[in-house]
Amino acid sequence: MENLIIVSKEKWDSIPSDYKGKWIDYNNEHPELLGKRTVLSGCISKKIGTLLIESVHFVIK
């Protein structure tokens, strides 16, 4: 869990809902991620074009 991106609650709240959501596991491939928050990478990092998952790629403090 090293290299997690730390996102403040204020920053998270400022991201438009079109760019963030919750993990939906249609094929039941990753049930452990069900309900985790997700965000497009460009909203919280310099990397663009990746879906980031809470507790895998970032945490909100």
Side-chain angles (χ1 to χ4, degrees), residues 5-58:
I5 300 167
I6 307 289
V7 180
S8 70
K9 178 76 167 109
E10 293 78 20
K11 173 68 176 173
W12 181 260
D13 291 342
S14 74
I15 299 170
S17 59
D18 289 344
Y19 300 104
K20 62 185 180 181
K22 299 240 178 179
W23 181 267
I24 299 171
D25 195 359
Y26 294 110
N27 297 317
N28 200 30
E29 293 174 352
H30 297 284
E32 72 279 7
L33 299 177
L34 196 60
K36 297 278 186 182
R37 290 181 264 203
T38 60
V39 66
L40 292 176
S41 58
C43 296
I44 62 173
S45 74
K46 294 178 183 176
K47 193 173 187 179
I48 297 176
T50 306
L51 181 67
L52 303 178
I53 304 167
E54 180 182 27
S55 76
V56 175
H57 303 108
F58 71 93

